[in-house]
């Protein structure tokens, strides 16, 4: 039997009690939110991530002068049930009580690296590839061979070499992680050993449009996909750990895609609100395509770059993924019952922005500015002599809006002293991190309510799909 899901309450507890004490007679609505996340899985994530963070912290302290890349490592993870899309566990970081305000499980700026290669393979199996210029696409199988040597030139579907203005020759010379000369190798082996050149050429032969449409059908949002380039086929796109777990969950479910979700039920003052039914799974790729991809990814764990996952003691499929200098590293694995995605990446400690490798998408920072707060209640009753408006979430359009008495506007907050850190104080103040000293906490509308709390405090109780 599955563990009981989490239940969250808003409008109760010490902050609400303090508000009622200061403002007698004012009704504070109570919301009950039932989510799909399970405590034992979430605790396992936190324990594993804490051990990983401690390791990197120790390594960074020992080698900080020599290896700056070993500092400021962040961990994010998500587990999705393949048949339903239920998010069973997420780990977004240690929490705001440890000065962490962004959601590492729902980032929008961390490249996925080679974990994107199975999507390219799925597109090739489904649509075929133009292997000879001017001809129709030809069928592709995992046994098909492509050049795996380092530094080869890449051709487009018209037979022209792909340009690279940064290369002295003006042409792209695609590189692998090592200079090993593989020769022509099967796509299966190229996946197992994470060789780049075969999948860049395969992606060009399949075409950006087919690969992008396959990625979207598997559950990635168009906004998370990078622009057309050779690097697109080996993971310059930046979907979140939740979304990537959802993609691999689709492979586990024989090609049926279920949008990841976490909120299963919301009640307002005892009455259930509409709009929280589970999304219906839909066919993303043919079952034969998903089965072939899974078979290839089992080889990654059996004899490729993911052999450490054999410690599970059971058959599983998965893929590793890295970017230059290991500034981000991924592993996504799955069984028929569960798909889990784990990402490690670097974040600038002072600005909470992604590391310099993010320059091409600098406007999409994985920081509190683009991700909703994650842990603990994100609202805080703020009683004052004027009795300001209590933090009251808005129900969805389909639900009747609760009525509440008109209350005076809250007083303008006083500027904080320079150097004073954000923190939650007593019942008289609530000053979570905003990045702008002196401003009152404003929760940006989240693209994904990972927790029921985030969904409600954003002002729109809705179960939007994860990023």
């Amino acid at each position: 039997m599955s563990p009981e899901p989490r239940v969250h309450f808003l409008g109760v507890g010490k902050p609400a009690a303090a508000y009622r004490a200061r403002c007698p007679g004012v009704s504070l609505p109570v919301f009950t939110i039932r989510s799909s996340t399970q405590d034992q899985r979430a605790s396992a994530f936190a324990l594993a991530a804490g051990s990983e963070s401690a390791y990197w912290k120790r390594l960074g302290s020992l080698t900080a002068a020599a290896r700056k890349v070993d500092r400021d490592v962040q961990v994010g993870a998500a587990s999705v049930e393949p048949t339903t899309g239920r998010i069973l566990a997420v780990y977004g970081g240690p929490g705001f009580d440890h000065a962490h305000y962004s959601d590492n499980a729902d980032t929008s700026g961390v490249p996925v690296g080679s974990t994107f290669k199975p999507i390219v393979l799925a597109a090739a199996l489904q649509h075929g590839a133009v292997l000879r210029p001017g001809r129709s696409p030809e069928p592709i199988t995992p046994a098909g061979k492509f050049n795996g040597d380092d530094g080869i030139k890449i051709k487009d579907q018209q037979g022209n070499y792909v340009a690279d203005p940064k290369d002295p020759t003006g042409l792209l010379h695609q590189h692998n992680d090592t200079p090993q000369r593989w020769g022509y190798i099967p796509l299966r082996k190229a996946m197992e050993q994470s060789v780049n050149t075969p999948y860049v050429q395969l992606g060009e032969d399949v075409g950006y449009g087919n690969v992008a449409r396959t990625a979207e059908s598997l559950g990635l949002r168009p906004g998370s996909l990078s622009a057309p380039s050779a690097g697109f086929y080996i993971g310059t796109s930046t979907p979140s750990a939740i979304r990537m777990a959802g993609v691999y969950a689709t492979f586990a479910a024989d090609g049926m895609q279920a949008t990841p979700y976490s909120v299963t039920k919301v009640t307002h003052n005892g009455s259930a609100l509409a709009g929280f039914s589970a999304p219906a799974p839909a066919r993303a790729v043919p079952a034969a395509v998903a089965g072939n991809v899974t078979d290839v990814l089992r080889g990654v764990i059996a004899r490729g770059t993911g052999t450490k996952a054999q410690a599970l003691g059971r058959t599983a499929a998965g893929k590793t993924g890295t970017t230059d200098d290991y500034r981000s590293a991924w592993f996504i694995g799955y069984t028929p019952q569960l798909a889990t995605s784990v990402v490690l990446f670097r974040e600038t400690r002072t600005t909470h922005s992604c590391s310099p490798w993010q320059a091409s998408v600098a406007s999409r920072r994985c920081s509190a500015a683009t991700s909703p707060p994650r842990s603990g209640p994100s609202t805080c009753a703020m009683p004052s002599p004027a009795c300001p408006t209590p933090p009251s979430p808005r129900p969805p359009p389909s639900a009747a809006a609760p009525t509440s008495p008109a209350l005076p506007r809250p007083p303008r907050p006083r500027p904080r002293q320079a150097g004073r850190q954000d923190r939650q104080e007593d019942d008289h103040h609530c000053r979570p991190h905003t990045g702008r000293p002196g401003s009152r906490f404003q929760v940006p509308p989240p693209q994904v309510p990972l927790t029921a709390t985030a969904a409600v405090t954003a002002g729109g109780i809705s179960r939007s799909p994860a990023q």
Side-chain angles (χ1 to χ4, degrees):
M1 180 178 295
S2 300
E4 285 297 314
R6 290 181 175 181
V7 179
H8 310 264
F9 299 94
L10 294 181
V12 298
K14 291 183 178 180
Y19 187 93
R20 292 189 178 95
R22 296 294 296 272
C23 304
V26 176
S27 175
L28 195 64
V30 176
F31 288 85
T32 303
I33 306 96
R34 186 176 295 271
S35 72
S36 61
T37 55
Q38 298 171 349
D39 284 334
Q40 67 178 36
R41 297 184 188 274
S43 297
F45 263 160
L47 179 62
S51 299
E52 188 75 17
S53 298
Y55 166 78
W56 285 103
K57 186 175 181 180
R58 289 197 305 272
L59 182 62
S61 64
L62 294 173
T63 63
R67 287 185 52 81
K68 293 182 179 179
V69 294
D70 290 333
R71 291 184 285 180
D72 304 326
V73 175
Q74 301 287 326
V75 182
S79 286
V80 173
E81 187 175 58
T83 56
T84 64
R86 293 193 306 158
I87 299 174
L88 300 183
V90 290
Y91 179 80
F96 65 81
D97 52 334
H98 293 278
H100 186 91
Y101 307 101
S102 57
D103 190 347
N104 293 348
D106 193 34
T107 59
S108 60
V110 181
V112 295
S114 292
T115 59
F116 196 82
K117 289 175 182 173
I119 298 175
V120 178
L121 179 60
L125 296 174
Q126 183 173 6
H127 301 287
V130 178
L131 302 180
R132 291 176 288 180
R135 302 292 184 90
S136 299
E138 300 178 30
I140 293 294
T141 71
K145 293 185 176 182
F146 284 74
N147 193 343
D149 287 345
D150 182 64
I152 67 171
K153 292 181 287 187
I154 304 296
K155 290 184 178 181
D156 60 21
Q157 289 184 337
Q158 290 72 44
N160 302 315
Y161 286 115
V162 176
D164 181 4
K166 296 181 180 179
D167 191 280
T169 66
L171 300 177
L172 172 68
H173 290 77
Q174 182 61 51
H175 291 283
N176 298 319
D177 289 340
T178 67
Q180 180 172 346
R181 298 187 64 84
W182 293 94
Y184 279 78
I185 58 174
L187 292 171
R188 178 186 299 275
K189 186 170 184 177
M191 185 76 76
E192 292 172 358
Q193 303 301 323
S194 204
V195 186
N196 291 334
T197 49
Y199 278 91
V200 174
Q201 185 59 69
L202 177 65
E204 288 288 344
D205 293 342
V206 175
Y208 176 88
N210 285 333
V211 176
R213 282 189 291 272
T214 299
E216 292 174 24
S217 69
L218 290 168
L220 300 188
R221 286 185 167 178
S224 69
L225 301 180
S226 62
S229 70
F232 170 74
Y233 306 111
I234 52 175
T236 55
S237 297
T238 57
S240 68
I242 294 173
R243 281 288 170 170
M244 289 304 290
V247 167
Y248 282 57
T250 302
F251 294 140
D254 293 328
M256 297 297 291
Q257 192 270 335
T259 302
Y261 71 95
S262 61
V263 179
T264 60
K265 183 178 181 181
V266 176
T267 62
H268 172 229
N269 291 337
S271 300
L273 301 182
F276 293 93
S277 57
R283 174 64 62 188
V285 294
V289 170
N292 271 278
V293 172
T294 294
D295 185 59
V296 171
L297 295 183
R298 287 194 183 114
V300 174
I301 292 178
R303 53 190 169 270
T305 58
T307 54
K308 288 189 176 181
Q310 294 176 14
L312 289 172
R314 61 168 299 175
T315 301
K319 184 70 186 78
T320 55
T322 59
T323 59
D324 293 344
D325 295 327
Y326 284 88
R327 287 172 178 166
S328 70
W330 292 73
F331 182 77
I332 310 175
Y334 62 95
T335 65
Q337 295 78 29
L338 192 69
T340 296
S341 173
V342 180
V343 57
L344 283 77
F345 61 95
R346 289 177 58 223
E347 182 184 64
T348 302
R349 183 181 303 179
T350 54
T351 63
H352 297 287
S353 62
C354 290
S355 294
W357 48 268
Q358 263 297 96
S360 61
V361 283
S363 61
R364 299 165 63 189
R365 298 170 56 192
C366 48
S367 66
T370 55
S371 300
R374 174 194 59 273
S375 56
S378 295
T379 56
C380 171
M382 300 178 63
S384 71
C387 287
T389 305
S392 176
R394 296 192 301 272
S398 58
T403 59
S404 59
L407 296 173
R409 298 175 66 87
R412 183 180 299 275
R414 295 189 299 272
R416 296 194 300 265
Q417 297 177 358
R420 184 175 180 179
Q421 295 182 345
D422 293 317
R423 65 183 187 275
Q424 285 191 331
E425 301 180 278
D426 56 18
D427 291 333
H428 298 277
H429 301 88
C430 181
R431 294 174 179 169
H433 175 78
T434 65
R436 300 190 309 275
S439 62
R440 191 174 296 277
F441 183 43
Q442 298 292 328
V443 183
Q447 295 178 356
V448 176
L450 290 183
T451 65
T453 304
V456 173
T457 57
I461 307 179
S462 61
R463 193 188 57 220
S464 304
Q467 176 68 25

